[in-house]
Amino acid sequence: MASPTTVDVSPRDDGKPATIYDVAKAAGVSHQTVARYLRGYQGIRPATRERVVAALEELDYRPNLTARSLTTGRSHRIGALTHEIDKHGPSNIAQGAAAAARRAGYVLDIFTLDMGDPGSIRDTLDLLRQHDLAGILALTSTDEMSAAIEAARFTVPVYLGGEPDDTATEHSELTGVGFPALVDHLAELGHSSFLHVAGPATWPAARNRTQAYQEALAARGLHSAGIVAGDWTARSGHDAVAALGPHLDASAIVAANDQMALGAMLALRRQGLDVPRDISVTGVDDIPDAAYFAPPLTTLRIDFAAQGRDIVGALLAQIDGRQPERSVTPHSELVVRESTGRARADTPRP
Amino acid sequence: MASPTTVDVSPRDDGKPATIYDVAKAAGVSHQTVARYLRGYQGIRPATRERVVAALEELDYRPNLTARSLTTGRSHRIGALTHEIDKHGPSNIAQGAAAAARRAGYVLDIFTLDMGDPGSIRDTLDLLRQHDLAGILALTSTDEMSAAIEAARFTVPVYLGGEPDDTATEHSELTGVGFPALVDHLAELGHSSFLHVAGPATWPAARNRTQAYQEALAARGLHSAGIVAGDWTARSGHDAVAALGPHLDASAIVAANDQMALGAMLALRRQGLDVPRDISVTGVDDIPDAAYFAPPLTTLRIDFAAQGRDIVGALLAQIDGRQPERSVTPHSELVVRESTGRARADTPRP
DNA sequence: GATCCGATTGTTACCGGTAACATGATGCTG
DNA sequence: CAGCATCATGTTACCGGTAACAATCGGATC
């Protein structure tokens, strides 16, 4: 008879991975004993335990998560609903969320949503329901997405991510810290007339930023020369500013993200204006490239990865029925670079 | 008795979704009849079929994919292994892959890999094995990742994505079309001495690009003034060029991606050099922002989303045991903008 | 050494599908 | 209208875990 710690059974006749039954047979115990060991149950006799451990080792046992979720009724997968995961914000939130989920033993399932095609949206939400997920996460929320999710009436917890919408919550950190600092910075440089290049109005994050901009100005008695809308892309920032042309009547442009700021700067340059000598430009996000724009961009850094973490944390709390920890929405931090400078005494255009 | 097409049963006493058994009971048939209907089996008597359809509708039945995978042994989920999904290439590949997977009825599970921490890698690969996946996809392959996957010996198909490694395959389209076109473009502008800012050598994609650069030059009898390595970031491009300082002896810089080109341009600018008057700069990728850099960047456009699609297509073919369709690796396309110009007759530095 | 009790271990049922086989119903033939 | 092939539907087992309950085992007690 083999020594108790040696269990000589090949991985399995067919190539399939070993189950607890295989392990049980190899160890000469019942499958429940194996299950108990795996569950960390203490009352197993040392000799028995030893055999189980040896069998587990020998067969290279890995639990079958599918079978587990079938019985327990709870999976360890979180559905991440997103579109445009190629964008900086979304992809970084995804990165943070995926990492946080992993730490908690969860996996992120990516469901890309093709906004604009209602049929596709329905299909995707249907798909979400079939994959039994522990929870659902909207990495980036637009109004369409919120509405679609609302309509789907999921039975599992759903968490809409992205920057909090000020209309729904108290002022976010972004509002409370970021824009005021940004506006203060510009005001100190002598600027008093601003143009805001906003994000698409269907994004709560965009509305949030625009509102924060307005409030920060209002609180200081400053003047907004206008708000033009973009769609987050550099192209839209460029075109918005180019369209204004000579009617641009501001000494500083406050874009709602770095890409639009980049586009705006190019448009200004093409109009013969120098940044920051003739006009200052700021962004939001602090994408890695922003520090290397020409000129390097003054911007509000947003910690998207932290946002992703927080969202997952909140969702997991909801899943476990815990009280979600006070969400520590990441502070936004002003990063001053070379795209902002002292306002010109004279107006740039005669 | 209710009309045959009306089945009056509330969704289920508890809040849980209906199963085929619930549907069967409601329709007054066996669960197999329901299963047969769902499978598209034709030999069901119209009257019976009608009752089943009504019950399905009434109970809002959705198949439980978990249960299905447990019995069939095959899931409809693809594990996407990645790190740095926040980067342009990876995130766009992910986007394309997710879309393609969705179309085929699959979902992408994101597993972020924390390279550098061997323990974490092992954990992640373990996790991959537990989630029974139809296949595994490496969205971005570095040598470490390839090695780790190799060592894990998965029982499901694994597909290493990213640009094909020239050492393993015949010359990719990238080699065949992209760099030659780029070099031709520069040569036509009178450039004859080049500096290459390479990506990290542990990435096959980086090696691939560097090799393509070298081959394109060699084929034209042109001179490479040197190769410096970066890590894909703008910072690394900047620092590499800044470190060279006055020793920079090239009339054109060929960076392995747009970010590094951006950084290089800033470094040049800080040395008082004008792009493209004094020196030309090119990138690879054509990230959306590249068209709005100052100056807009001449670059090789890579269709990452298509790469993602192709990778998923190849993986699915492998899963289904089909012969993978001839992978139509996306062509790279030269996009000429303002960062390249005629080489100066005199050397930029006296 | 019989009795009893808790510590260990084993048995059975179930999660929601799929697969294989069994049975009842129908229809055609002679 | 019996006899049998065929169609339609039902039964049972199984996937790999978990949960609840049952049954041993061992040692202490008397």
Side-chain angles (χ1 to χ4, degrees):
Chain A
M1 192 170 165
S3 112
T5 52
T6 308
V7 184
D8 196 25
V9 176
S10 39
R12 195 156 146 165
D13 317 0
D14 41 11
K16 299 208 295 185
T19 71
I20 51 169
Y21 293 93
D22 300 327
V23 173
K25 194 159 53 154
V29 300
S30 79
H31 72 278
Q32 265 307 327
T33 300
V34 178
R36 287 194 186 97
Y37 170 77
L38 293 172
R39 205 186 313 136
Y41 177 68
Q42 289 306 319
I44 300 179
R45 207 164 304 158
T48 312
R49 165 182 305 256
E50 213 166 87
R51 298 219 307 282
V52 171
V53 172
L56 286 169
E57 177 70 22
E58 171 70 25
L59 295 176
D60 191 29
Y61 170 81
R62 311 289 153 130
N64 179 326
L65 262 35
T66 302
R68 178 176 298 170
S69 21
L70 180 58
T71 47
T72 59
R74 42 179 306 177
S75 72
H76 278 176
R77 293 158 45 221
I78 296 173
L81 213 46
T82 178
H83 51 135
E84 309 186 315
I85 200 180
D86 48 317
K87 291 229 170 74
H88 172 74
S91 69
N92 277 69
I93 293 178
Q95 173 91 332
R102 263 273 276 117
R103 272 195 298 278
Y106 285 75
V107 175
L108 228 52
D109 286 12
I110 298 288
F111 293 80
T112 50
L113 210 44
D114 179 8
M115 299 317 291
D117 176 0
S120 144
I121 295 176
R122 264 241 323 273
D123 290 353
T124 303
L125 296 177
D126 251 29
L127 201 60
L128 273 172
R129 201 176 339 235
Q130 294 175 26
H131 285 265
D132 64 356
L133 302 162
I136 296 172
L137 210 57
L139 291 185
T140 46
S141 64
T142 60
D143 292 346
E144 300 97 305
M145 193 185 283
S146 307
I149 289 175
E150 191 72 32
R153 310 202 137 285
F154 287 104
T155 54
V156 296
V158 176
Y159 205 92
L160 297 180
E163 291 166 23
D165 190 340
D166 271 2
T167 61
T169 68
E170 77 249 42
H171 286 192
S172 70
E173 300 294 334
L174 180 62
T175 314
V177 177
F179 270 86
L182 179 67
V183 170
D184 280 344
H185 166 66
L186 290 170
E188 277 164 21
L189 290 169
H191 296 278
S192 58
S193 173
F194 309 88
L195 174 73
H196 179 53
V197 182
T202 53
W203 290 59
R207 289 200 300 269
N208 189 27
R209 291 174 182 190
T210 297
Q211 189 184 338
Y213 160 80
Q214 290 173 313
E215 287 176 359
L217 287 193
R220 286 158 188 74
L222 293 168
H223 171 63
S224 175
I227 297 181
V228 293
D231 64 3
W232 294 133
T233 66
R235 162 183 290 274
S236 71
H238 174 273
D239 294 353
V241 170
L244 246 46
H247 301 299
L248 172 57
D249 178 32
S251 67
I253 295 181
V254 177
N257 78 347
D258 293 346
Q259 270 91 5
M260 295 194 293
L262 175 67
M265 290 200 295
L266 182 62
L268 294 171
R269 194 178 141 102
R270 285 182 170 159
Q271 289 173 34
L273 296 174
D274 181 83
V275 176
R277 206 188 58 231
D278 298 320
I279 187 166
S280 290
V281 175
T282 65
V284 175
D285 283 354
D286 192 25
I287 65 175
D289 292 353
Y292 296 88
F293 287 172
L297 188 67
T298 294
T299 187
L300 280 181
R301 175 175 303 160
I302 307 284
D303 190 346
F304 287 105
Q307 271 186 38
R309 277 199 299 280
D310 286 352
I311 300 172
V312 167
L315 181 66
L316 290 179
Q318 212 173 325
I319 289 170
D320 299 342
R322 285 183 284 113
Q323 197 61 19
E325 293 135 30
R326 178 83 191 80
S327 168
V328 188
T329 306
H331 288 241
S332 59
E333 180 189 354
L334 178 65
V335 182
V336 176
R337 299 206 181 92
E338 301 166 31
S339 70
T340 46
R342 186 144 287 285
R344 292 182 59 140
D346 54 335
T347 57
R349 285 178 227 264
Chain B
M1 191 172 164
S3 115
T5 51
T6 309
V7 184
D8 196 27
V9 176
S10 37
R12 196 157 146 164
D13 318 358
D14 41 11
K16 298 207 297 185
T19 72
I20 50 170
Y21 292 93
D22 300 327
V23 173
K25 193 158 52 150
V29 299
S30 80
H31 72 278
Q32 266 306 325
T33 301
V34 179
R36 287 194 186 98
Y37 169 78
L38 293 173
R39 206 187 313 139
Y41 177 67
Q42 288 307 318
I44 300 178
R45 209 166 303 159
T48 311
R49 167 182 303 259
E50 213 165 89
R51 298 220 308 281
V52 171
V53 172
L56 286 169
E57 176 69 22
E58 171 70 25
L59 295 176
D60 190 30
Y61 171 81
R62 312 288 156 129
N64 179 326
L65 263 36
T66 302
R68 179 175 298 171
S69 344
L70 180 58
T71 48
T72 60
R74 42 180 305 179
S75 72
H76 278 159
R77 293 160 45 220
I78 296 174
L81 211 46
T82 177
H83 51 133
E84 309 186 317
I85 200 180
D86 48 316
K87 291 227 171 75
H88 173 73
S91 70
N92 277 69
I93 293 178
Q95 172 92 332
R102 262 272 275 119
R103 273 195 298 280
Y106 284 75
V107 175
L108 226 54
D109 286 13
I110 300 287
F111 292 80
T112 51
L113 210 44
D114 179 8
M115 301 315 290
D117 175 0
S120 144
I121 296 176
R122 263 241 324 274
D123 289 354
T124 304
L125 295 177
D126 251 30
L127 203 60
L128 274 172
R129 202 178 337 236
Q130 296 175 22
H131 285 264
D132 63 357
L133 302 162
I136 297 171
L137 211 57
L139 291 185
T140 45
S141 63
T142 59
D143 293 345
E144 300 96 306
M145 193 185 283
S146 308
I149 290 176
E150 191 72 32
R153 310 203 139 285
F154 286 104
T155 54
V156 295
V158 177
Y159 205 92
L160 297 180
E163 290 164 25
D165 191 337
D166 271 2
T167 60
T169 69
E170 78 249 43
H171 284 192
S172 69
E173 300 293 333
L174 179 64
T175 312
V177 176
F179 270 86
L182 179 67
V183 170
D184 281 344
H185 167 66
L186 290 170
E188 277 163 21
L189 290 170
H191 295 279
S192 58
S193 173
F194 308 86
L195 173 73
H196 179 52
V197 182
T202 52
W203 290 60
R207 288 199 300 266
N208 191 26
R209 291 174 183 190
T210 297
Q211 190 184 337
Y213 159 81
Q214 290 173 312
E215 287 177 359
L217 287 192
R220 286 158 188 75
L222 292 170
H223 170 64
S224 175
I227 297 181
V228 292
D231 62 3
W232 295 132
T233 65
R235 162 185 288 274
S236 72
H238 174 275
D239 293 352
V241 170
L244 247 48
H247 304 298
L248 172 56
D249 178 31
S251 68
I253 294 181
V254 177
N257 77 346
D258 292 346
Q259 271 89 4
M260 294 193 293
L262 175 67
M265 291 200 294
L266 182 62
L268 294 171
R269 194 178 142 101
R270 285 184 170 159
Q271 289 172 34
L273 296 172
D274 181 82
V275 176
R277 203 187 64 227
D278 299 320
I279 187 165
S280 290
V281 175
T282 66
V284 175
D285 284 354
D286 192 25
I287 64 175
D289 292 352
Y292 296 87
F293 285 172
L297 188 67
T298 293
T299 187
L300 280 181
R301 175 176 302 160
I302 307 285
D303 191 345
F304 287 105
Q307 269 186 38
R309 277 199 299 281
D310 288 351
I311 299 173
V312 167
L315 180 66
L316 289 178
Q318 211 174 326
I319 289 170
D320 298 342
R322 287 182 283 113
Q323 197 60 18
E325 294 135 31
R326 178 84 189 78
S327 168
V328 189
T329 306
H331 289 242
S332 59
E333 180 190 356
L334 179 64
V335 181
V336 176
R337 298 207 182 91
E338 302 167 30
S339 69
T340 46
R342 185 144 286 286
R344 292 182 59 144
D346 55 336
T347 57
R349 282 180 229 263

